[in-house]
Amino acid sequence: MKGRVSTTSPRVRGWCPGAWRPMATGDGLLVRVRPEMGRLTRAQGLALCDAAETWGSGLIELTRRANLQLRGVSEAGWPALMAHLVEHRLVAPDAEAERRPALLLAPDWRDGDATHRAARLLQERLDAWPTLPGKWGLALDAGPLPALTEASADLRLERSREGGLLVRADGRALGTPVDDVEAAVALMTRLARWFVDAGGLEAGRMRRFTAPLPEWAAAVAVPAAAFDDAPSLALGAHPAGRVVGLPFGRAPASTLRAALASEAITGIRVTPWRRLLLEGRRMNMNDGGGEPPAGLIHDARDPRLAMDACPGAPYCAQASVATLGLALSMAEKWRERLAERRDERTGQRDIGRVHISGCAKGCARSRPAELCLTGRDGRFDLILGGRADDTPVATGLSEAEVLAALKENK
Ligand code: SF4
């Protein structure tokens, strides 16, 4: 039976940082940008690179909720950064907009499809929604198969097994069938009001709010089978462009700028899977689009894809250990072993089986990992088959001891 490590409980916050409401972290302010419709134009991508280098640490991170964030921003530099982000429409001029529920779109949406139309309607109507907890979000996932099942969201627009649309309250196995996108948005709006009126604010998230759904939202429709843990966007050529991976969900702005130097790229779509879809049909190598951008991951066998690592020290104030150096060392030393891992059920490469976490909060991965290393008091705890806050089988390991242990158990 697994328990929770209680001695060094991380600070759990009930809100997510934004751009208007940045969070103080170990290396300065963290400023998070929510790309509208989950997409940046090429010009916006370049403007974000400028912002990271001028006011931040030079790194750009992609979060598990498909947001982009800059670190290392100073209090003094924040106003000028915000003016720049607003000028390039990377941030709404209205701070209130950031308090509305975040929209997470399945990244391969197309103009006019159900995911896109639902997002547009919600953008127009979210102003009239009640005030919801800061972490609330909506997954718009109306492709043939749900792709965002593992992503954090409170209400989900998905397809049923029969192909119709449904709205599913997070944590419930079944959804409420709806006739069309308009009806879906109306139902989401009504469910958000019900959540507030029925006492959901205390629970905070829909998943934790276990009250039975009201009769007018009877959940009777079975969602289509979801994609497994492996993301729906495979690395490489895509009909809309090219999918690339970000090592541990981050890249220097200079790397992204170099990738965007190609005018073949027309935009960037963000995903919750540490991958970007670089839009532009000429980016598709099948169409003769040239060399893939350097510094990003293109090979599905890259061991870094099988690992989750949070920023750790010195980037996060809650971390007592550096995580990224160990992750890179493990990726090198364990290259073949990680590359060969396969999911027993699907035969697919298993993504995220190693988790390196700066503290027990486990920001980089909420699901269990085969091997998890959690920082505590400057050393690592080793957890097998669990989450970052599960009971370790070994404690107080140095980085060298971790690597030696892995070598022995190869
Ligand atoms: S898991 Fe990592 S990023 Fe999250 S709070 Fe802990 S040290 Fe910070």
Side-chain angles (χ1 to χ4, degrees), residues 4-5 52 84 117 174 271 317 376:
R4 302 276 186 262
V5 173
H84 175 87
R117 281 183 287 130
L174 303 179
T271 81
R376 187 164 58 88

Side-chain angles (χ1 to χ4, degrees), residues 95-168:
E96 276 306 305
E98 230 174 51
R99 297 185 193 276
R100 295 174 201 134
L103 303 183
L104 175 61
L105 283 73
D108 51 359
W109 59 266
R110 283 181 293 184
D111 272 349
D113 70 9
T115 294
H116 180 239
R117 281 183 287 130
R120 284 278 178 240
L121 278 179
L122 283 162
Q123 277 180 328
E124 291 166 12
R125 298 182 189 176
L126 281 178
D127 276 350
W129 279 37
T131 301
L132 289 155
K135 286 181 181 271
W136 248 65
L138 312 177
L140 306 176
D141 195 13
L145 296 179
L148 302 175
T149 307
E150 296 300 328
S152 172
D154 295 89
L155 294 173
R156 301 173 184 278
L157 173 64
E158 295 172 341
R159 291 278 167 192
S160 69
R161 209 166 45 182
E162 292 73 32
L165 290 172
L166 61 83
V167 170
R168 188 161 65 88

Side-chain angles (χ1 to χ4, degrees), residues 18 20 25 31 82 107 115 145 209 233 256 305 353 393 400 402 409:
W20 286 107
T25 64
V31 174
M82 288 303 291
T115 294
L145 296 179
F209 187 49
L233 287 186
L256 291 178
L305 291 174
R353 296 285 290 267
V393 295
V402 168
N409 290 307

